């Protein structure tokens, strides 16, 4: 098969890595890719939002499967574009259509969907500029902390958690006044859930589905989970506090009702669903849906999938997933993200990266990198995701940190405390 992956992060490098040895693979392309993807695939200078350009490339190279990495092209309707085009409609594409992508693209849509199909989630109400006063009044009926979410995509910055009622009321006004443009012209206010977070990933062909290894990511820039949110500073899999019985509960209370809901709404879905969950006591609640894989979660999930990943995706695209089995590597995996100095605020790019070649077993997934004059240089806030296996999460993390010692670029930064918060669960187990 000729395969095209859209995207340029660690997630897309991990996907390319995951299918590089598949017996089904003929040619693998990544658009636009990064310095890492160019080692396992051919990079193509195409923007994932340039649907016409993608069409031309797919036709020219006889691409049979397109895997959409990030959410923007899905929310922008790339799947609808493919299904509605006579030349493209037979091409397999991984990702939901525009309506289903609203599960991620609109918090209000996702909350209404969960309520309709009895998927456990925090109580909520949505407000618009015309109902600002009602929203400020609704806040007084809740207890702190107050959770405010811009309805639309806001580059991961659209969720505000505030302790003070007055501040929350002011924040609601700022959001509705257009702090995030159109994305915050509607705001979801919801109850705060106190618990521990984790994520579960499913691939579905609309009928059948498979649960992939679960993961936990580390969102904050600072050690001890402090400072601003980032795209993700690392991830671990499996999640120490997630037992097989808890997965069964998530399956029964969340995954099955979600897939039934999609069916009842007549929404086809061939792709990934990422369930961002909060475990409150022993009960799972959905914090958010994403219509794609997570980054950096993919950098631990795919290394733990022993089955032929391309075969799974092919079956997902063609409705034959029920015939597949997902074999999981029993080892733990961890990934530590190396970021540019200053990230997630302002940072510089173009720093030369050295130490990428090594005999170590660690896998260095590239996130923001590119090749410039035969050197690999940084090209984003998140630069590399260094993944290792281990018998336990601890061992996997030790191996990541050892590998990181040998990789250098000016201003390299990473969190040194990943997994420490999990020790209490591991000792109990
Ligand atoms: P999201 O962008 O929806 O993933 O939200 C960002 C982060 O805000 C989540 O990872 C949680 O840590 C936190 N969060 C979102 N909703 C809630 C909630 N209802 N209760 C507690 N924390 C929340
Ligand atoms: N790591 C969180 C995300 O991909 O949304």
């Amino acid at each position: 098969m000729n395969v095209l992956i859209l995207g340029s992060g660690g997630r897309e490098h991990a996907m390319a890595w995951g299918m590089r040895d598949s017996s089904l693979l003929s040619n693998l392309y990544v658009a636009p890719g990064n310095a890492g993807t160019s080692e396992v695939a051919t990079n193509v200078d195409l923007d994932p939002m340039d649907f016409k350009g993608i069409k031309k490339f797919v036709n020219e190279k006889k691409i049979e499967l397109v895997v959409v990495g990030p959410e923007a092209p899905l929310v922008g309707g790339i799947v609808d574009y493919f299904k509605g085009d006579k030349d493209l409609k037979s091409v397999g594409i991984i990702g939901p259509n525009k309506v289903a992508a609203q599960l991620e693209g609109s918090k209000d849509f996702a909350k209404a969907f969960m309520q309709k199909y009895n998927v456990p989630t925090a109580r909520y109400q949505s407000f618009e500029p015309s109902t600002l006063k009602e929203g400020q009044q609704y806040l007084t009926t809740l207890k702190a902390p107050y959770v405010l979410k811009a309805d639309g995509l806001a580059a991961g910055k659209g969720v505000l958690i505030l302790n003070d009622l007055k501040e929350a009321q002011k924040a609601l006004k700022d959001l509705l006044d257009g702090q995030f443009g159109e994305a915050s012209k509607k705001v979801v206010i919801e109850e705060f859930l106190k618990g521990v977070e984790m994520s579960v990933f499913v691939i579905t062909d609309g009928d059948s589905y498979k649960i992939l290894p679960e993961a936990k990511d580390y969102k904050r820039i600072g050690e001890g989970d402090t400072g601003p949110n980032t795209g993700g500073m690392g991830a671990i899999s499996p999640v120490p506090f997630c037992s097989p019985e808890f997965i069964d509960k998530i399956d029964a209370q969340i995954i099955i009702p979600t897939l039934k809901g999609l069916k009842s709404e007549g929404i086809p879905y061939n792709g990934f669903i990422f369930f961002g969950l909060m475990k409150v006591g022993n009960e799972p609640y959905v914090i958010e849906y994403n219509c794609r894989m997570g980054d950096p979660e993919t950098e631990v999930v795919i290394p733990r999938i022993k089955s032929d990943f391309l075969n799974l995706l092919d079956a997902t695209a063609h409705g034959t997933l029920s015939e597949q089995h997902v074999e999981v590597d029993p080892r733990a995996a961890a990934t530590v993200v190396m970021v540019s100095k200053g990230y997630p605020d302002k940072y510089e790019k173009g720093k030369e990266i050295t130490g990428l070649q090594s005999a170590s077993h660690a896998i260095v997934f590239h996130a923001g990198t590119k090749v410039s004059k035969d050197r690999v240089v940084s090209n984003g806030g998140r630069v590399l995701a260094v993944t290792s296996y281990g018998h336990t999460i601890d061992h996997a993390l030790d191996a990541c940190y050892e590998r990181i010692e040998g990789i250098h670029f000016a201003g390299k930064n990473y969190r040194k405390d990943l997994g420490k918060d999990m020790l209490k669960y591991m000792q109990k187990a």
Side-chain angles (χ1 to χ4, degrees):
M1 286 171 77
N2 295 325
V3 180
L4 170 65
I5 299 174
L6 300 180
S8 62
R11 168 181 49 213
E12 289 74 23
H13 188 188
M15 287 180 167
W17 177 90
M19 55 178 87
R20 76 199 182 287
D21 291 330
S22 170
S23 58
L24 294 175
L25 186 66
S26 308
N27 295 295
L28 180 58
Y29 302 92
V30 185
N34 59 39
T37 59
S38 69
E39 289 167 10
V40 287
T42 304
N43 283 354
V44 188
D45 189 15
L46 262 179
D47 183 334
M49 295 304 286
D50 175 11
F51 299 172
K52 274 202 184 129
I54 292 167
K55 171 178 171 170
K56 190 160 167 273
F57 184 81
V58 164
N59 286 335
E60 254 170 42
K61 300 290 181 187
K62 304 199 164 29
I63 301 292
E64 294 152 277
L65 182 71
V66 177
V67 185
V68 186
E71 63 278 14
L74 296 167
V75 174
I78 192 167
V79 171
D80 311 70
Y81 181 83
F82 268 63
K83 301 291 178 202
D85 186 292
K86 66 173 182 8
D87 296 330
L88 296 177
K89 65 175 172 223
S90 61
V91 176
I93 183 161
I94 297 295
N97 68 11
K98 196 170 178 165
V99 171
Q102 290 300 301
L103 287 178
E104 173 163 2
S106 163
K107 303 270 187 207
D108 179 55
F109 177 90
K111 295 296 285 192
F113 179 91
M114 287 186 258
Q115 201 167 45
K116 184 166 176 190
Y117 294 102
N118 278 321
V119 176
T121 188
R123 274 191 306 131
Y124 84 106
Q125 275 189 36
S126 297
F127 299 94
E128 296 182 10
S130 62
T131 51
L132 168 67
K133 285 264 160 344
E134 289 86 337
Q136 290 176 328
Q137 169 60 30
Y138 180 65
L139 282 167
T140 67
T141 69
L142 301 174
K143 281 201 269 292
Y146 305 96
V147 183
L148 280 67
K149 300 185 171 183
D151 176 54
L153 296 180
K157 298 197 167 79
V159 175
L160 303 178
I161 300 183
L162 299 162
N163 279 311
D164 182 78
L165 176 63
K166 285 257 151 9
E167 255 180 57
Q169 289 174 325
K170 161 102 180 26
L172 177 64
K173 180 171 186 321
D174 292 345
L175 286 167
L176 292 174
D177 278 348
Q179 184 179 350
F180 295 104
E182 280 305 307
S184 67
K185 287 287 183 182
K186 200 185 261 181
V187 173
V188 166
I189 299 179
E190 68 180 36
E191 185 185 33
F192 182 81
L193 297 173
K194 195 165 165 41
V196 276
E197 280 184 74
M198 58 169 288
S199 301
V200 166
F201 311 91
V202 158
I203 43 171
T204 178
D205 62 7
D207 286 312
S208 184
Y209 68 99
K210 305 285 169 190
I211 303 177
L212 305 178
E214 80 280 2
K216 172 168 182 57
D217 79 333
Y218 290 84
K219 288 202 172 70
R220 306 291 194 100
I221 186 74
E223 290 177 11
D225 276 325
T226 53
N229 264 329
T230 69
M233 296 296 288
I236 56 171
S237 177
V239 175
F241 58 77
C242 179
S243 63
E245 293 73 34
F246 193 61
I247 291 283
D248 289 344
K249 210 174 222 186
I250 294 168
D251 192 18
Q253 297 181 6
I254 291 173
I255 298 173
I256 292 172
T258 298
L259 294 171
K260 273 200 180 139
L262 288 169
K263 259 209 133 100
S264 312
E265 299 286 317
I267 299 174
Y269 203 115
N270 300 69
F272 296 100
I273 309 179
F274 164 154
F275 300 84
L277 306 175
M278 186 75 85
K279 180 171 185 255
V280 182
N282 204 27
E283 296 303 317
Y285 289 80
V286 176
I287 291 195
E288 61 165 350
Y289 288 120
N290 292 312
C291 59
R292 50 160 177 98
M293 278 301 287
D295 194 351
E297 291 91 334
T298 306
E299 290 94 301
V300 290
V301 172
I302 289 183
R304 293 193 67 221
I305 298 176
K306 286 175 90 175
S307 320
D308 185 319
F309 182 58
L310 179 53
N311 195 24
L312 281 176
L313 294 182
D314 188 37
T316 300
H318 294 108
T320 55
L321 196 55
S322 64
E323 298 158 22
Q324 299 293 320
H325 168 70
V326 178
E327 195 189 343
V328 174
D329 193 318
R331 288 176 298 175
T335 194
V336 178
V337 178
M338 300 176 72
V339 303
S340 301
K341 182 181 168 193
Y343 174 79
D345 298 323
K346 261 181 50 186
Y347 58 85
E348 289 176 10
K349 298 182 191 176
K351 309 291 178 198
E352 181 172 4
I353 307 169
T354 58
L356 290 169
Q357 302 305 326
S358 153
S360 155
H361 291 300
I363 314 161
V364 180
F365 292 120
H366 290 223
T369 70
K370 67 172 186 182
V371 177
S372 168
K373 300 191 192 107
D374 288 337
R375 298 171 315 153
V376 177
V377 301
S378 64
N379 191 37
R382 291 190 290 172
V383 179
L384 301 167
V386 177
T387 297
S388 294
Y389 293 102
H391 289 298
T392 62
I393 301 282
D394 255 19
H395 286 129
L397 282 163
D398 286 347
C400 294
Y401 287 124
E402 198 179 310
R403 181 69 186 90
I404 282 178
E405 291 289 306
I407 301 175
H408 305 282
F409 55 90
K412 89 174 185 190
N413 183 28
Y414 58 96
R415 270 181 65 172
K416 298 169 189 70
D417 68 329
L418 300 191
K420 297 267 187 290
D421 56 332
M422 291 296 113
L423 288 176
K424 56 185 178 216
Y425 300 104
M426 291 195 260
Q427 275 153 10
K428 250 190 238 162

